[in-house]
Amino acid sequence: DVKVTQSSRYLVKRTGEKVFLECVQDMDHENMFWYRQDPGLGLRLIYFSYDVKMKEKGDIPEGYSVSREKKERFSLILESASTNQTSMYLCASSSGRHSNQPQHFGDGTRLSIL
Amino acid sequence: SQKIEQNSEALNIQEGKTATLTCNYTNYSPAYLQWYRQDPGRGPVFLLLIRENEKEKRKERLKVTFDTTLKQSLFHITASQPADSATYLCALEIYNQGGKLIFGQGTELSVKP
């Protein structure tokens, strides 16, 4: 079974802090994704990556950056956290550059910015 | 503008009945459509995928239809059980975007015993 592990289930940080969210997958997947999920807005794609050191902006990249130094690890960085970044953050992975592959999700990090 | 819409209100049904969830989209030409299940506090879990040239797909008690003329997918759970209670998400995959998915907001299903 594919396992996607997010480093923290719950995290509380203060405005202005630099925040790192880590995600690791164990199935050698090429593709990795970061979403945020908010009530009434669904899942929105922040950034994704097709390969090591590659990154592509999703629909809401502002205020975020990512890092993919190793294939199995994809990090989301909040450069200077703000209260409107309080949300559930979900990481996912999928195999190959081809279509029709399901995405495998971690259980999320609920981040609160005070 | 591009939009994906699922039943915004929660769906409440009796155990044993068939649950039908709707996913409508506008201004997209999806190559594939996927359905996921999400339990509270957990990440979504993949259920089924249907291609644009497939009309229907089945897996055990689950059935998905895909009508590209109506721009609609229907997700059915037959002989529903309380354990089927969850939020169900549809997601579109667009051609040549390498696996990127666009998600609907989800429909919460509650199956009462």
Side-chain angles (χ1 to χ4, degrees), chain A residues 6 21 32-38 42-49 55-66 74-79 84-92 103 109 111, chain B residues 100-101 103:
Chain A
Q6 295 185 228
L21 302 183
M32 296 189 76
F33 307 84
W34 274 108
Y35 297 89
R36 64 177 283 176
Q37 187 173 31
D38 300 286
L43 273 84
R44 293 181 291 166
L45 183 63
I46 305 170
Y47 268 96
F48 57 107
S49 169
K55 61 183 178 185
E56 300 268 353
K57 291 181 180 178
D59 300 316
I60 51 163
E62 295 79 20
Y64 303 94
S65 62
V66 289
F74 193 34
S75 303
L76 180 70
I77 304 151
L78 285 66
E79 297 291 342
N84 64 11
Q85 292 178 309
T86 291
S87 186
M88 169 71 94
Y89 289 86
L90 288 159
C91 174
Q103 291 188 10
T109 295
L111 175 64
Chain B
K100 178 180 162 186
L101 294 178
F103 282 85

Side-chain angles (χ1 to χ4, degrees), chain A:
Chain A
D1 256 5
V2 176
K3 191 156 178 66
V4 177
T5 304
Q6 295 185 228
S7 53
S8 306
R9 290 299 303 274
Y10 301 93
L11 206 53
V12 179
K13 296 290 182 182
R14 299 209 171 272
T15 54
E17 280 193 71
K18 190 169 186 175
V19 181
F20 294 85
L21 302 183
E22 306 287 346
C23 175
V24 177
Q25 50 95 3
D26 66 358
M27 280 302 290
D28 203 36
H29 282 171
E30 287 80 2
N31 309 324
M32 296 189 76
F33 307 84
W34 274 108
Y35 297 89
R36 64 177 283 176
Q37 187 173 31
D38 300 286
L41 296 177
L43 273 84
R44 293 181 291 166
L45 183 63
I46 305 170
Y47 268 96
F48 57 107
S49 169
Y50 291 136
D51 205 345
V52 176
K53 297 196 187 294
M54 263 209 56
K55 61 183 178 185
E56 300 268 353
K57 291 181 180 178
D59 300 316
I60 51 163
E62 295 79 20
Y64 303 94
S65 62
V66 289
S67 172
R68 193 157 180 209
E69 296 297 318
K70 294 185 176 182
K71 191 175 185 180
E72 67 271 17
R73 186 179 295 269
F74 193 34
S75 303
L76 180 70
I77 304 151
L78 285 66
E79 297 291 342
S80 177
S82 63
T83 54
N84 64 11
Q85 292 178 309
T86 291
S87 186
M88 169 71 94
Y89 289 86
L90 288 159
C91 174
S93 71
S94 68
S95 67
R97 288 295 300 270
H98 306 294
S99 299
N100 78 45
Q101 299 298 318
Q103 291 188 10
H104 302 267
F105 285 83
D107 278 336
T109 295
R110 188 165 292 282
L111 175 64
S112 295
I113 308 295
L114 304 179

Side-chain angles (χ1 to χ4, degrees), chain B residues 55-66:
Chain B
K55 296 291 184 190
E56 183 178 298
K57 198 85 169 272
R58 290 176 186 260
K59 179 182 173 184
E60 297 171 354
R61 294 184 297 110
L62 308 181
K63 184 178 88 171
V64 173
T65 63
F66 194 9

